[in-house]
Structures are given as C-alpha cells and as structure tokens.
Amino acid sequence: MTTAINTSIFTTLESEVRSYSRSWPTVFESARGAWLRAEDGREYLDFFAGAGALNYGHNNPVLKRALIDYLESDGITHGLDMHTTAKRRFLETFDDLILTPRRLDYKVQFPGPTGTNAVEAALKLARKVTGRESIVNFTNAFHGMTLGSLSVTGNSMKRAGAGIPLVHSTPMPFDNYFDGETPDFHWFERVLDDSGSGLNRPAAVIVETVQGEGGVNIARPEWLRALADLCSTRGILLIVDDVQMGCGRTGPFFSFEVAGITPDIVTLSKSIGGYGLPMALTLFKPELDVWSPGEHNGTFRGNNPAFVTATAALEQYWADDLLSLSTASKGKRIGEIFANLADSFDGVSTRGRGMVQGLVFDDPGKAVKVCGLAYDEGLLAETSGPSDEVVKLLPPLTITSEELNHGLSILAEATAKVCA
C-alpha cells in the first residue's frame, strides 16, 4: 500500500518559479549516499547530486559526524568575517591539502554563501584592479542569477529575467562553437588588436572549463592554454568559474589542472562545503588583493558549520589521490556506455570529462523524454543546454560501481525506448 503524495501546499503557496519539482513530482523525505527516499517509501538513485553540490553524497557519515560534534559543542554558527576556530582549521587544511601541493599562491575571500556571490566578487575585483569595465564571457556560459553574473551568462531566458539591460560584457565563441571550422581565438585576437573593432580592452575573461548548464561543452586543454596566454600577454585577468566543476567533479580538485594553467581568479561553491551547506570562495593571486576592509561583504559569508564539513571533506577525500582515480575510472565507464548508445542510435552523441557527462540528442524533445522515463524507473537526471537537448549526469563522486551501473542501465533502456 502506497501513501498518497500531498503536494497541494507547494502548488498553492510556492512561487511558479519552482522548476525541479515539476520534473520530479514527489515529496522527498530522506537521503543517504546516492539515494533519496520519498515520503511514499519509493527510492530514487540520484544522478543530479544537488546540481553538483553533493559530490560526496547525501548525509555523508564522516561529514555528518563532524557537523554533529561541532553543533553539540556549541560551536560558532554565524560569524560574519570574524576569526573562528572553524575558519582557521578550514584555511589551514585548504592550504595544506589543496593549494600548497598544487603550488597555487592564492588569497582566499569568503564572498557570501553561493556561487553567484563568488562570481560577483570576482567581477568587481577584476574591475577594481584594472580600472576597466568590460568582461569577456563565452557562448552558452552560465555564471549565476544575480545581475553581474547574469551579464556574463549566455542563456536568453535567464538573461531576460533581469528586467534591465545587461551591459559591460562581450560574448565570444567557446571552444568548438563553430564545429572546428573557425580557428581558435581568431575573432577574439583580431578585435583585441584592431583599433577599429570597437572593443574596449576588457578587465577580465571569465570561463568555465566545462560548461555544465550550457550543455556539457568541453574546453580542450590546448584551448585553455591559448586563452591563458592571450590574457597574460594583453594584461587581461583570467577568471575560471569552478563553481560546479571544481572539488573533483572532472577528476582533479580544480577542473583547470588538466590544462596546466594558473588563473588569476577562481570561483568555488557548491561542493566546497562538502555536505550541501552554503559556502563559496573567491581565490585570487596575492597582488590582486586590493580590497578595502568591508568593500565587499555579506551577512552569511561566515557559515561556520560549512567550514567544519568542508574541512572534514578535504581530510577524508583529498589527502591522497584515491578519489581522483576513482572519478576517472567511473567517468570512463559512463563514457563507454554513452558512446555505445551514440553508436546505436542516429541523432545521439556524447561528451564529457570525469563524472560530468552528457548524452546529446539532435531532437531536444528526446532528452526530456529520456529523463522522464528515467524518473519513472527511479532515477533522477536533468537536462541542460540551450534547448534542453542534453541529458546531463552529475552523480555523487562516491557512488558505488554497482549503483552507477544500475543508473546507467535505466538510462540506456530509456534511450532505447525513445529512439526506437
């Protein structure tokens, strides 16, 4: 006997802006690891992971224990930017396990608890350092929903929600935007160096190494290196938005490590808190730290419980390379299954890196149908891309091989039904 699902309060009282609940019309009650449980008792395998905020799974027991112990000891919960023991331990651990081994010399700013806060701080800082206004962004980029972040986001529907002109940004083609027919950076280099182009020298370029919301578009390492060189030689700051692709999603901790570049500014959020607790970082080279005290702030920039779970996540998963190797192996498995589906059905292709993978449909409606059938079989997966043409996978990095194979079999069956 199943329990009737009551969603009336959500449809009656909650804003029409809600979205994920429309694709997954149930009421979730609990979660652990790679699974969510609805109040009617049905279980769902999670290939969404909080849009990348739960790289270590739901209610990870190691992180939960650290959080419970901290709360039971009456640890500081809200601290603004005051010094706390939780913040000190996080900074020491982040430096010891992440920055120092990678020879990254970055200052750490806590700009506010979300990814768009980190991006806003990065854009403001770049403009303050350079004295310039314009930011170069890329086609199909997504950087957040506040005005500055929206100005460098490509999605027309999200941009339209701003209600005002979004200015001081210039979009350029992302890697392979023209299917390899146009030489990389031909347009960007030309307009930068042409005094008649009308393009003012930008303060910064902001880029995702893998565009998640934009459709799992992958920037090649050589493309990223060329972009970094272009910025360096022309005095333009390079911002890498690693909000969704950082914290091991592509394999290494930072997604840009594969290219061997050192961005001037890096934004992190989502899984940096480890447990799904709000937390964000803006990292930048020390010489760029020109902020005056309080010039950029936020009431919830000192979320100490997130410092605690973030520290536990770093100690548990980043003291060695086991998680990175596991992510590479699981990503290869996903890629093999997706490549087989692409070979089996016309109008289907695949792309991805590590454990962000996309199954791309020439007919966007098929991607939506695949995710709908997957939900019916107990799997949560979302679409992405400008036309929702990509089935995007973001499973927890800690998912077991058995769970991964189970979810992939559901997707394979759904794809076969839709493409038959």
Side-chain angles (χ1 to χ4, degrees):
M1 179 177 174
T2 59
T3 303
I5 299 173
N6 182 1
T7 61
S8 60
I9 188 64
F10 305 110
T11 55
T12 301
L13 196 59
E14 191 178 1
S15 166
E16 294 299 315
V17 78
R18 64 192 187 279
S19 59
Y20 292 115
S21 57
R22 299 180 190 273
S23 299
W24 305 324
T26 190
V27 179
F28 296 104
E29 185 174 57
S30 60
R32 185 178 178 87
W35 293 89
L36 292 96
R37 185 181 181 90
E39 66 176 353
D40 64 356
R42 187 170 186 196
E43 293 188 332
Y44 295 83
L45 184 59
D46 189 1
F47 272 20
F48 175 65
L54 295 164
N55 282 3
Y56 313 111
H58 296 269
N59 284 302
N60 183 294
V62 175
L63 312 190
K64 180 165 63 175
R65 185 72 263 162
L67 177 60
I68 290 172
D69 289 347
Y70 182 75
L71 295 176
E72 287 185 339
S73 71
D74 290 335
I76 299 293
T77 299
H78 183 273
L80 293 149
D81 69 356
M82 294 183 291
H83 299 323
T84 67
T85 56
K87 182 197 286 188
R88 179 172 59 198
R89 189 175 173 204
F90 167 74
L91 286 170
E92 290 172 345
T93 305
F94 188 68
D95 190 30
D96 290 344
L97 296 182
I98 304 301
L99 297 181
T100 297
R102 292 161 180 79
R103 299 180 181 178
L104 294 173
D105 185 14
Y106 285 140
K107 296 292 287 294
V108 178
Q109 179 181 356
F110 300 98
T114 71
T116 197
N117 294 139
V119 170
E120 294 284 358
L123 300 181
K124 285 173 64 174
L125 182 61
R127 288 170 170 140
K128 181 177 175 64
V129 168
T130 64
R132 307 179 209 133
E133 295 178 349
S134 178
I135 306 292
V136 165
N137 57 297
F138 290 95
T139 51
N140 292 316
F142 179 79
H143 296 289
M145 297 297 285
T146 49
L147 290 181
S149 300
L150 272 181
S151 73
V152 291
T153 287
N155 186 286
S156 59
M157 181 272 288
K158 292 181 172 64
R159 290 175 62 88
I164 61 171
L166 297 171
V167 296
H168 305 307
S169 62
T170 304
M172 292 290 172
F174 191 71
D175 191 15
N176 205 38
Y177 183 74
F178 294 111
D179 297 321
E181 296 178 4
T182 301
D184 293 320
F185 301 111
H186 178 77
W187 171 249
F188 192 12
E189 289 179 313
R190 179 69 180 268
V191 296
L192 273 176
D193 297 335
D194 183 358
S195 60
S197 70
L199 178 71
N200 294 327
R201 183 62 55 94
V205 171
I206 185 167
V207 66
E208 303 155 277
T209 69
V210 179
Q211 295 181 328
E213 295 300 311
V216 193
N217 304 309
I218 312 297
R220 293 166 297 142
E222 55 267 31
W223 188 88
L224 292 168
R225 286 192 291 270
L227 177 62
D229 289 343
L230 182 147
C231 290
S232 177
T233 58
R234 288 165 176 78
I236 302 167
L237 298 179
L238 177 62
I239 304 169
V240 168
D241 182 342
D242 236 3
V243 167
Q244 188 171 76
M245 298 303 155
C247 302
R249 174 55 56 182
T250 66
F253 186 86
F254 294 108
S255 70
F256 57 80
E257 291 182 52
V258 66
I261 63 173
T262 303
D264 298 293
I265 305 175
V266 180
T267 61
L268 288 174
S269 187
K270 293 192 182 286
S271 278
I272 187 60
Y275 199 71
L277 298 177
M279 178 176 169
L281 307 177
T282 304
L283 312 176
F284 41 82
K285 294 179 178 178
E287 61 269 24
L288 304 181
D289 193 7
V290 297
W291 292 119
S292 298
E295 189 174 9
H296 185 89
N297 58 32
T299 303
F300 294 98
R301 64 192 182 277
N303 187 4
N304 283 256
F307 296 156
V308 171
T309 53
T311 300
L314 295 176
E315 292 174 339
Q316 178 70 18
Y317 296 106
W318 295 101
D320 54 37
D321 61 356
L322 293 180
L323 182 66
S324 292
L325 293 174
S326 172
T327 298
S329 176
K330 292 170 185 173
K332 182 179 178 181
R333 174 62 177 162
I334 301 171
E336 291 170 349
I337 297 297
F338 276 13
N340 182 60
L341 291 172
D343 290 340
S344 301
F345 302 104
D346 292 336
V348 180
S349 58
T350 183
R351 53 183 179 249
R353 177 180 294 156
M355 287 184 71
V356 51
Q357 300 279 340
L359 194 63
V360 188
F361 293 82
D362 290 350
D363 178 356
K366 291 184 177 180
V368 175
K369 290 178 181 177
V370 166
C371 286
L373 289 175
Y375 172 77
D376 292 341
E377 296 300 319
L379 179 73
L380 305 184
E382 69 165 338
T383 58
S384 70
S387 301
D388 285 323
E389 74 277 15
V390 181
V391 176
K392 182 176 74 170
L393 264 61
L394 293 171
L397 306 184
T398 53
I399 193 171
T400 67
S401 296
E402 293 75 18
E403 291 167 335
L404 182 63
N405 287 331
H406 174 61
L408 291 172
S409 68
I410 292 175
L411 280 177
E413 292 173 8
T415 301
K417 290 181 181 177
V418 169
C419 294

